[in-house]
Amino acid sequence: MSIPKPAGLGQADVTPRPVYLNRRKFLAAAPAAFAATRALLAPPALAATRLNIAAKSPFSTNEPLTAADVATHYNNFYEFGTSKNEPARNAQNFRTNPWTLSVEGEVAKPRKFSLDEILKLAPLEERIYRHRCVEGWSIVVPWIGYSLSALLNLVQPTAKAKYVAFESYWDLKQMPLARPETAGIAFPYVEGLRLDEAMHPLALLSVGMYGESLPPQDGAPVRLVVPWKYGFKGAKSLVKIRLVGSQPPTTWNLANAHEYGFYSNVNPQVDHPRWSQAKEQRLPSFFKNHATQMFNGYADQVAGLYSGMDLRKNY
Amino acid sequence: MLKSRWTKAVVFLLCLAPFAHLAAVLFACLEQPDMSSPVWRILVPALPPNPLDFFTHLTGDWTLRFLVITLAITPLRKLLGLPDLIRFRRPLGLFAFFYGCLHLLTYLWFDKLFDFHEIWKDVARRRFITIGFAALVLMIPLALTSTKGWIRRLGGKRWQLLHRLIYVTALAGVVHYYWLVKSDIRLPALYAALVAALLLYRLAMSILRRTRQSSAVSKPTPVES
Ligand code: HEM
């Protein structure tokens, strides 16, 4: 597995904290005449915990960060409503403590982790990743976490483990909108990766963003981030990780197999049936004018995982 | 009151409110005025994280809403006994067309940056775009012939027949919406129900009229659209 050249930039180098926390003004990538310069208003509603970052990551991009309140006020998190402005409103009282993440299945040492254990399992790194949604928009987010492999190595997958299934929290008391009849997808939300994808160092188990613990609408307290795949592969608010022998069912694939494949690698050459994937909108730009890169720009690191595969068929 | 010029002016201004909202958000995005003032707080409580999404949805929603309101005029005149509501039908229909054009412009400009090769691919290949496009194109002859002069030139009967195209536009708009949502179909289903009710009302009325006409052949009734 090749490790990329260090970009050497951390979040602190890109955007000083007061700039995005107070009256956030920044320039979006857009044609000069329409450069969308913005001043964003809403302060984060939830008191977040500051996280101690042990290291910056060589995996980080040095592209300009997306303002924190764009990333935290435009979410697909159907458990808290199907519109992208709903999770920021509806998730504010989501209780994430105490929390248990159970890791089970084809492993030598199945185990339940408390949030505290998760936070201390490996040194927390900051990783600035591009995040590309299947809907055609993208953001650049300074996540905090560590490679998922650190957790998987602890439980020791057996030889039978070929895939990893991820399950999100689901509780109608806390998430009254999370009904399959209305949202149109099944709950609990489940996603999956091949074991070698899950073990890839880029696959991130994230507990925070922008220097703090994850806001509830972005998947608190612990979520998956797979930067070379469309965003919906990154299951939020994880309660269960199961190692299994065959390809697990996944939520969007069950809802519409024709539109959302199991792999869902970012690929500008393979259109979604309802729109082209060649371009993306780097939020909060007005324009869909940013060229989408193969594997979201992580081809050097991950293309090897798919050598010999027809990516048009395995979309 | 319905007859007053002032009522018409108020309705006109109300119809422009979504446009004013859109213009305020656009201005705020581009010019970043000092938004701490109370006026801005009311006009634009928060900037949209995704302006393309915001403008597409605002204009698409209002196109469909104005189509539904326009279609509701005829039944409401009857059911509420307010024949003067007819004065609002033309401006309401034209506002549907106006917001439809803004919707198309948002797509052509922000989504496609006027790349007509890509636009053509979309229109030809993606059924939700094809049907949305058809819905808007069908509104063009209605907007062009919406004047008194055209009613005269075409003759009331033929004009009415032509303007039944709005039924097709409304249906196509609903299908467009149904095809574009990812999984939550509640809103398109609501619009489908509204449009179905408004069209079924007309169907029922026309059947009623026909049976009445055939039972009293000598007494012609005025045609209603
Ligand atoms: C001129 C051709 C048209 C094009 C190219 C077009 C394109 C689009 C696009 C790209 C979207 C956003 C899809 C998404 O969010 O995934 C959309 C949404 C929408 N369009 Fe259109 N459209 C057209 C005509 C129309 C017409 C005539 C109507 C109304 C009768 C309409 C009503 C809507 C509605 C209601 C939405 C959804 C808004 C929401 O989700 O809030 N569109 N359209």
Side-chain angles (χ1 to χ4, degrees), chain A:
Chain A
M1 232 163 268
S2 67
I3 302 291
K5 288 176 235 85
L9 281 177
Q11 174 220 335
D13 305 311
V14 187
T15 311
R17 199 178 152 69
V19 175
Y20 66 75
L21 264 191
N22 298 329
R23 293 217 48 230
R24 285 148 263 193
K25 298 189 175 190
F26 68 99
L27 210 67
F34 244 104
T37 312
R38 305 160 56 89
L40 288 147
L41 304 169
L46 193 90
T49 338
R50 196 107 186 97
L51 293 175
N52 286 322
I53 298 163
K56 310 218 149 147
S57 167
F59 292 125
S60 285
T61 169
N62 55 10
E63 286 162 84
L65 287 189
T66 303
D69 48 11
V70 169
T72 57
H73 288 79
Y74 195 70
N75 308 96
N76 277 314
F77 196 173
Y78 276 31
E79 286 84 339
F80 291 109
T82 57
S83 300
K84 281 183 268 295
N85 58 3
E86 281 179 291
R89 285 200 309 264
N90 297 338
Q92 288 315 321
N93 298 320
F94 184 40
R95 282 188 306 278
T96 53
N97 207 355
W99 192 267
T100 312
L101 170 61
S102 169
V103 187
E104 52 191 62
E106 301 293 349
V107 295
K109 297 185 169 162
R111 201 178 137 181
K112 286 185 171 31
F113 294 88
S114 71
L115 184 55
D116 219 39
E117 288 170 320
I118 294 169
L119 286 169
K120 293 182 180 138
L121 195 147
L124 296 181
E125 293 169 35
E126 179 176 77
R127 293 201 194 167
I128 304 175
Y129 279 166
R130 290 175 290 274
H131 178 90
R132 169 64 155 83
C133 178
V134 70
E135 296 167 342
W137 50 268
S138 63
I139 49 182
V140 178
V141 182
W143 301 107
I144 299 162
Y146 45 78
S147 294
L148 173 65
S149 59
L151 177 111
L152 295 180
N153 284 333
L154 266 187
V155 296
Q156 299 173 13
T158 67
K160 281 196 205 142
K162 297 282 184 281
Y163 290 86
V164 187
F166 303 86
E167 186 180 311
S168 298
Y169 184 82
W170 182 45
D171 168 13
L172 281 170
K173 275 200 219 78
Q174 286 211 67
M175 304 161 155
L177 299 178
R179 293 182 181 278
E181 320 80 272
T182 52
I185 60 171
F187 295 110
Y189 191 89
V190 285
E191 256 308 333
L193 295 173
R194 245 171 33 197
L195 183 60
D196 59 341
E197 295 178 319
M199 292 299 287
H200 192 284
L202 276 176
L204 183 73
L205 195 69
S206 173
V207 292
M209 62 200 287
Y210 296 95
E212 296 176 339
S213 53
L214 285 172
Q217 66 269 30
D218 286 274
V222 55
R223 67 169 292 172
L224 178 65
V225 176
V226 195
W228 70 94
K229 291 175 180 280
Y230 293 122
F232 70 90
K233 293 296 291 181
K236 300 187 172 91
S237 305
L238 293 173
V239 290
K240 198 186 286 181
I241 297 179
R242 221 158 30 86
L243 287 100
V244 292
S246 54
Q247 185 176 308
T250 57
T251 298
W252 279 104
N253 184 252
L254 287 176
N256 193 341
H258 179 57
E259 298 193 350
Y260 312 100
F262 175 79
Y263 283 94
S264 285
N265 292 316
V266 174
N267 187 343
Q269 278 131 44
V270 177
D271 287 353
H272 182 277
R274 286 183 286 158
W275 54 84
S276 160
Q277 293 290 32
K279 299 241 170 78
E280 66 199 47
Q281 217 189 332
R282 189 52 66 80
L283 298 185
S285 162
F286 281 67
F287 296 97
K288 200 184 263 191
N289 62 352
H290 197 96
T292 293
Q293 305 175 69
M294 189 65 203
F295 296 114
N296 203 21
Y298 300 98
D300 285 352
Q301 293 97 310
V302 301
L305 292 170
Y306 311 100
S307 52
M309 263 176 78
D310 182 350
L311 294 176
R312 208 162 270 284
K313 252 208 221 116
N314 298 287
Y315 57 92

Side-chain angles (χ1 to χ4, degrees), chain A residues 34 37-39 41 73-74 78 82 135 182-184 260 271-276 281 283-284 286-288, chain B residues 26 29-30 32 35 45 47-53 55 109-111 113 126 128 179-184 186:
Chain A
F34 244 104
T37 312
R38 305 160 56 89
L41 304 169
H73 288 79
Y74 195 70
Y78 276 31
T82 57
E135 296 167 342
T182 52
Y260 312 100
D271 287 353
H272 182 277
R274 286 183 286 158
W275 54 84
S276 160
Q281 217 189 332
L283 298 185
F286 281 67
F287 296 97
K288 200 184 263 191
Chain B
L26 188 67
C29 285
L30 297 179
Q32 46 164 348
M35 310 248 304
L47 289 181
N50 184 342
L52 164 59
D53 187 63
F55 295 128
W109 191 2
F110 298 164
D111 196 329
L113 293 101
R126 314 203 195 279
F128 92 94
W179 277 345
L180 73 87
V181 293
K182 284 201 301 183
S183 68
D184 180 353
R186 280 174 293 172

Side-chain angles (χ1 to χ4, degrees), chain B residues 100-118:
Chain B
C101 290
L102 291 178
H103 186 63
L104 177 65
L105 185 65
T106 310
Y107 165 83
L108 297 178
W109 191 2
F110 298 164
D111 196 329
K112 295 290 164 190
L113 293 101
F114 297 110
D115 178 343
F116 283 98
H117 177 67
E118 278 298 315

Side-chain angles (χ1 to χ4, degrees), chain B residues 16 28 32 44 53 60 62 82 94 111 137-138 146 176 196 217:
Chain B
L16 276 176
Q32 46 164 348
V44 186
D53 187 63
W62 281 104
L82 293 171
L94 284 173
D111 196 329
V137 167
L138 288 179
S146 68
H176 168 69
V217 197

Side-chain angles (χ1 to χ4, degrees), chain B residues 2 25 38 48 53 66 78 81 83 110 120 162 165 168 171 187 209 213-214 216 220:
Chain B
L2 283 182
V25 172
D53 187 63
F66 275 109
K78 275 271 162 59
F110 298 164
W120 175 245
L162 175 67
L165 276 180
V168 184
L171 287 170
L187 278 173
R209 245 189 334 261
Q213 263 170 12
S214 53

